[in-house]
Amino acid sequence: MTSWLRSLSKGDSLFLFWKLFRLRGGTKQPLFRQALTFFLNRMAHRHGGYIGNGAVFRDVPTLPHGLHGVFISRYAKIGRDCWIYQNVTIGEVNRTAPEIGDGCLIGAGAVLVGGIKIGNDVKIGAGAVVCTDIPDGCTVVAQLPRIIGREVPHDEPKSPSLEGD
């Protein structure tokens, strides 16, 4: 691949990737469709991401960090003007994947799984795990961290609350 062609598939714009993605969606010839799928999978793999063969995009999403760690199921439906940051998983459960509305922001490391519906203008914070429907205009954040245990150093006396009964 020439350097100018390689530059069109790198970074956050992924111009060539989305051009081929749209072309694959409109072609009826099986052999040409398979060739486009092969090239798209290779390009996505080079960027460390995956976009399933049947994923539906109403518009090209904004990927500020490129496809780095982004996994989008083949059953997913993504609305217009969506922002998807790095390491996001939009996964499937029993062949159903999230349907994301228009104008959504999905923060870094977020996980959306199952046949859920995400409304329009929803913001999903970094690291959030979403497995239920979210109505329009909501903001979802990850749960607060909690301490589930503590190791006491050998030279420190154990407190009565940490000792077994």
Side-chain angles (χ1 to χ4, degrees), residues 11 46-49 65-70 85-88:
R46 192 175 82 226
H47 293 284
H65 301 285
L67 273 175
H68 302 290
V70 175
Y85 285 82
Q86 74 272 17
N87 298 323
V88 167

Side-chain angles (χ1 to χ4, degrees), residues 148-160:
I148 58 172
R150 177 178 167 217
E151 288 189 30
V152 180
H154 295 293
D155 57 346
E156 182 179 322
K158 291 186 175 182
S159 67

Side-chain angles (χ1 to χ4, degrees), residues 24-113:
R24 181 186 66 186
T27 187
K28 302 291 184 200
Q29 299 173 352
L31 186 60
F32 186 55
R33 185 175 176 82
Q34 288 177 351
L36 288 173
T37 300
F38 173 78
F39 286 120
L40 286 168
N41 286 340
R42 294 288 298 155
M43 290 170 70
H45 179 71
R46 192 175 82 226
H47 293 284
Y50 171 80
I51 296 181
N53 192 6
V56 175
F57 294 87
R58 292 186 62 210
D59 193 13
V60 174
T62 301
L63 303 168
H65 301 285
L67 273 175
H68 302 290
V70 175
F71 174 90
I72 299 176
S73 167
R74 61 184 170 165
Y75 301 110
K77 295 180 179 103
I78 313 288
R80 298 184 192 282
D81 301 321
C82 288
W83 285 62
I84 302 173
Y85 285 82
Q86 74 272 17
N87 298 323
V88 167
T89 299
I90 301 173
E92 64 188 73
V93 173
N94 297 327
R95 297 187 180 187
T96 60
E99 185 175 327
I100 299 170
D102 298 337
C104 291
L105 181 144
I106 304 171
V111 177
L112 291 76
V113 291

Side-chain angles (χ1 to χ4, degrees), residues 88-142:
V88 167
T89 299
I90 301 173
E92 64 188 73
V93 173
N94 297 327
R95 297 187 180 187
T96 60
E99 185 175 327
I100 299 170
D102 298 337
C104 291
L105 181 144
I106 304 171
V111 177
L112 291 76
V113 291
I116 60 175
K117 293 191 187 308
I118 306 297
N120 296 326
D121 302 312
V122 169
K123 293 180 184 81
I124 299 173
V129 177
V130 181
C131 54
T132 59
D133 293 348
I134 306 296
D136 293 349
C138 290
T139 300
V140 178
V141 295

